[in-house]
Amino acid sequence: MARKVVKKKGPTPEDDAREFFLALDMIEQEKGIKKEYMLDKIKQALLSAYKRDHEGVGDNLVIIADQSKNSIRMILKREVVEEVDNPDTEIALEDVRKILPHAQLGDVVSKELKTKNFGRIAAQTARQVIIQGIREAERNMVYDEFTKQTQELMMGLVTRLDPRNNGVFVKLVSGDVSTEALLTNGEQVKGETYTEGQRIRVYVVEVRQGNRGTQVVISRTHFGLVRRLFELEVPEIYDGTVEIRSIAREAGSRTKMAVWSNNPEVDPIGACVGTRGARVNAIVEELHGEKVDIIKYSEDPAEYIAAALAPADVVSVKANAEEKTCRVVVPDDQLSLAIGKEGQNARLAAKLTGFKIDIKSVSAAAAEPVEEEAPAEVVEEAPAEVLEVSDDALFAEDAE
């Protein structure tokens, strides 16, 4: 007796649509991409796939997605005409009346298209559009999430090192979104070493969006890193009682910061230093021994400049506020201290205050003609982009 063979039934269109919407739910859960966004991209993909072989269809193709009914339908609308010029948008009256006997010229009839009838090239086009849509959504999510972290501190994980250019790849996580950022050699502090698996604090300088995706620019040398560290460590800065008016930094070596208190009863320098230096020492440890000078900001340029040259003593300061220049006289034995090693102390003071600084010893100043008033030598000019920010600094007790 012959064996009866029962042919298995394939999935119905409703089953396919149900699996399609379930797949969208999974994408939303796993990647955080909204279902509505993906539906829009898939509609674009279907349109692109059909137009791949039917360039003249224009806007006559409509896609209707109904999740409640588990259905996705492609409807082609065509106008009933006497003679067809464009078969993608028109249909002959004679052909229509075979199905719709009462059709008239000028009517618009609809026909449902089946995606399974698409050609191989058209199907590949649809697939590429969907993949591109997912990638674009992921890039936008990274951009939107990390834009919120601009000019903030983040803790990152060192994932790999690039020996070719000394770059360090750091994994950053914000909310449910993660990305890999590159800490370039120029944004690394000299003397610091990094190893895979190490956790480091970085400052998010900016977030860029380009053709290759979202790029998060991070730094360990930016003065903003020091500013944020003090905000974390000093409650008076965080709540606005103490402000950091200006900051100048040479990463890995020294930082000078000018602070100001909005409360006469709060000592801004003492608040930043903390009991027995506890607060500033914690920051210095994070900066791997970088010296931090904290000075008190003053509206009086002469007083401000004299404080900025600490730890050197200053005899007099003659400042020209309009031209942003000043002449400073220091004791003979304090000249090298005021200038600092390789001019660092004077250079940072100039950046901090925004003044060109001409430093003279008492004996050198006395030997000059009385008529000469203009600065003879400029130690350093503060760059125009010096920012006034909210941070702090500690007077280094050791003279360089």
Side-chain angles (χ1 to χ4, degrees), residues 35-65:
K35 186 186 302 183
E36 293 76 14
Y37 174 86
M38 284 308 304
L39 267 176
D40 183 60
K41 289 299 178 182
I42 289 168
K43 289 179 181 179
Q44 293 180 25
L46 293 174
L47 288 172
S48 298
Y50 187 81
K51 290 179 178 180
R52 177 69 174 76
D53 298 323
H54 305 81
E55 296 180 358
V57 70
D59 297 328
N60 288 45
L61 183 63
V62 179
I63 299 176
I64 303 173

Side-chain angles (χ1 to χ4, degrees), residues 47-101:
L47 288 172
S48 298
Y50 187 81
K51 290 179 178 180
R52 177 69 174 76
D53 298 323
H54 305 81
E55 296 180 358
V57 70
D59 297 328
N60 288 45
L61 183 63
V62 179
I63 299 176
I64 303 173
D66 189 341
Q67 185 175 357
S68 62
K69 296 181 180 179
N70 288 326
S71 67
I72 297 182
R73 304 174 63 200
M74 295 182 63
I75 307 298
L76 178 63
K77 296 180 179 181
R78 292 182 292 180
E79 182 182 359
V80 179
V81 295
E82 188 72 40
E83 185 176 346
V84 175
D85 293 326
N86 183 357
D88 291 324
T89 59
E90 299 171 339
I91 186 170
L93 177 63
E94 180 182 353
D95 295 335
V96 172
R97 284 186 170 173
K98 294 177 182 178
I99 306 172
L100 301 173

